Amino acid sequence: MSNQSIQPAEAASALAEIQARRDQVISESMIPNWYWAAIGVLMLGFMAAIETRQPWVVAVGSVGYGVGLTLVITRLTRRHRAQVSNRMLGVRGVLAITVMAVSLVGIGLATGFGLEALGTPRPATISGAVTAVAMTISGPLLMRYLRGVMTARPLGEG
């Protein structure tokens, strides 16, 4: 080891560079806003197809959903190669993701069963639309929250 001492300005510059690189990885790993709407549209189409109860429509809707989901995920993974370690999310991040997922399921089920109880035609399709809108709105909010959680973590924290 060298006996040279590191100057405070050099240390500050190195830490700033590490912070900038971490922020870049976090930014590149965030799920983009278009993803949430795309998944919502695919989900809505799938539900609408199933609700017709026409075998050929269900088949076309199922294949369309599968192909569409594959295309969306392929585009996402090709453009967003950076992946943040789960440790960066921490308990708060994991809890936020869980709350969002459970909330979306709850919104969909409550809306669907409520509409069915009222005798509304196509309750699953309507509840799917409500859930798709909720996902399109809440997905980017979740990403903003997770970005804040990850960037607030001290450098070097596991």
Side-chain angles (χ1 to χ4, degrees):
M1 249 199 222
S2 171
N3 287 338
Q4 294 177 352
S5 64
I6 298 175
Q7 298 299 316
E10 293 172 336
S13 176
L15 285 174
E17 178 66 22
I18 292 168
Q19 181 76 41
R21 297 288 175 127
R22 180 183 74 167
D23 292 349
Q24 180 183 11
V25 169
I26 290 170
S27 293
E28 289 178 8
S29 69
M30 292 286 103
I31 296 173
N33 293 346
W34 61 261
Y35 171 85
W36 304 102
I39 295 298
V41 168
L42 288 169
M43 182 179 69
L44 178 59
F46 180 62
M47 293 171 118
I50 289 175
E51 206 162 41
T52 66
R53 296 192 171 113
Q54 298 293 319
W56 72 271
V57 176
V58 172
V60 169
S62 298
V63 170
Y65 178 77
V67 169
L69 191 59
T70 300
L71 292 173
V72 166
I73 291 173
T74 299
R75 180 172 182 215
L76 180 71
T77 56
R78 284 193 177 153
R79 290 187 174 219
H80 297 85
R81 293 186 184 266
Q83 185 175 11
V84 172
S85 167
N86 290 339
R87 291 180 297 172
M88 287 291 293
L89 291 173
V91 173
R92 289 177 31 214
V94 171
L95 189 60
I97 294 167
T98 303
V99 166
M100 178 184 163
V102 170
S103 297
L104 290 171
V105 169
I107 288 167
L109 290 174
T111 304
F113 287 133
L115 291 170
E116 187 172 31
L118 294 172
T120 305
R122 304 210 184 265
T125 302
I126 296 169
S127 71
V130 170
T131 305
V133 168
M135 185 170 26
T136 300
I137 293 168
S138 64
L141 296 175
L142 174 67
M143 291 299 100
R144 190 174 340 159
Y145 177 76
L146 292 178
R147 177 190 305 274
V149 166
M150 290 186 284
T151 57
R153 294 181 76 91
L155 289 175
E157 183 177 297

